[in-house]
Amino acid sequence: MHVQVISSVNEACSANFHHKTAIVIDVLRATSTIVTALAAGAASIVPAETVMDAKSLQWPEDLLGGERFCRKIAGFDLGNSPKEYSENTVRGRRIIVTTTNGTRAIHKSTKADHVIAASLLNGEAAAKYALELRRDVVLLCAGSHDEFAIEDGLCAGLLIEELIKQHHDTVEVDDFGQAMHALYRDRSPWILRTLLQSQSGKRLVKLGLKEDVEDCAHMNTLDAVPFLLGERLILR
Ligand SMILES: O=C(O)[C@H](CS(=O)(=O)O)OP(=O)(O)O
Ligand SMILES: [Mg+2]
């Protein structure tokens, strides 16, 4: 199995996803929130690139979620905090979600045979599912505003660790992936501290959203693996 790591959405435009499994990573906060929502019983998540797209996709019984500038969008039901997507709120609902980086990254990876959403919360489960799909893997770090974000690189490193641990044959990892694996091995005892020191983490703390950073820093606590079926993410 070959594993390639892409450092940001920008770079995804020139990447080759054909015959591969894409694993999209946006630790702060889109994929952490999507995994949390589906684990809490949401029927599906529809990732939308723009606010206008999200509104046009909405059926009367759907919820609208997401952010711009880290804040809930005017007129939307939910923001981009995992804690907003509780069982009481989301059970059985289809949710249209648009975020600055994460949902854009999902749209950029749709040429892949399979698309999975991963975060620190479901890293182990996502790697297990990717192995079952028997394709080479592209780990797409969403990054922030077209630049690399360390929290996504850390999660890519966790996924590589899990792929190597769970795979019985050779896992060939590209150079950037090897660097992210080394980063993960170095920083795994200090995940929360690393997230709090990241640019995205600092931005969220400044806005009073430190609890979100804490909620996204738990490792392998969820078995849920969102995968793209047509336009919507559902649980495997
Ligand atoms: O809501 C978030 O945490 C970020 C906002 S920002 O543009 O990086 O400030 O969006 P996400 O798409 O989850 O990275
Ligand atoms: Mg992000």
Side-chain angles (χ1 to χ4, degrees):
M1 168 187 279
H2 186 266
V3 179
Q4 177 191 2
V5 181
I6 297 180
S7 66
S8 73
V9 181
N10 206 16
E11 214 190 301
C13 301
S14 55
N16 177 10
F17 289 99
H18 286 287
H19 307 302
K20 295 183 183 163
T21 294
I23 307 185
V24 179
I25 303 166
D26 188 351
V27 170
L28 296 174
R29 298 166 288 172
T31 55
S32 301
T33 298
I34 289 169
V35 172
T36 301
L38 289 170
S44 63
I45 303 285
V46 179
E49 277 203 82
T50 67
V51 173
M52 237 164 53
D53 288 349
K55 285 179 177 168
S56 69
L57 285 165
Q58 190 187 25
W59 300 338
E61 63 278 15
D62 291 341
L63 294 172
L64 277 181
E67 58 69 45
R68 285 299 179 271
F69 307 104
C70 301
R71 296 290 193 197
K72 188 168 91 172
I73 299 157
F76 276 39
D77 304 291
L78 302 161
N80 193 22
S81 296
K83 65 172 180 289
E84 290 175 271
Y85 292 71
S86 66
E87 205 180 316
N88 275 345
T89 308
V90 305
R91 174 154 288 284
R93 307 294 292 271
R94 192 177 90 128
I95 311 172
I96 321 293
V97 174
T98 181
T99 72
T100 311
N101 312 291
T103 53
R104 202 155 68 89
I106 292 168
H107 275 267
K108 291 282 177 279
S109 62
T110 51
K111 287 206 167 71
D113 280 4
H114 307 281
V115 179
I116 293 174
S119 66
L120 294 170
L121 306 175
N122 71 336
E124 186 180 355
K128 184 163 180 264
Y129 187 38
L131 287 169
E132 287 171 22
L133 294 171
R134 296 177 176 279
R135 299 277 192 289
D136 287 341
V137 168
V138 179
L139 299 176
L140 170 51
C141 298
S144 190
H145 304 271
D146 287 333
E147 287 186 358
F148 172 67
I150 194 168
E151 66 277 10
D152 297 337
L154 197 62
C155 184
L158 163 67
L159 286 159
I160 291 165
E161 176 80 7
E162 290 296 336
L163 289 169
I164 291 170
K165 204 165 30 175
Q166 296 178 34
H167 196 39
H168 300 300
D169 279 328
T170 321
V171 177
E172 264 178 53
V173 181
D174 74 354
D175 286 359
F176 187 62
Q178 289 183 43
M180 295 307 98
H181 191 207
L183 168 78
Y184 168 76
R185 291 208 151 169
D186 182 51
R187 301 302 299 176
S188 57
W190 300 286
I191 294 280
L192 178 58
R193 194 190 300 177
T194 307
L195 261 55
L196 287 169
Q197 285 170 348
S198 70
Q199 295 305 308
S200 318
K202 284 183 191 157
R203 189 161 50 234
L204 291 166
V205 171
K206 227 177 181 171
L207 292 167
L209 297 166
K210 185 176 180 193
E211 206 187 314
D212 283 7
V213 182
E214 290 165 351
D215 289 343
C216 296
H218 301 292
M219 230 185 341
N220 300 331
T221 50
L222 296 176
D223 274 336
V225 184
F227 77 94
L228 199 62
L229 186 67
E231 287 190 329
R232 62 206 169 104
L233 289 157
I234 56 173
L235 287 190
R236 56 169 305 202

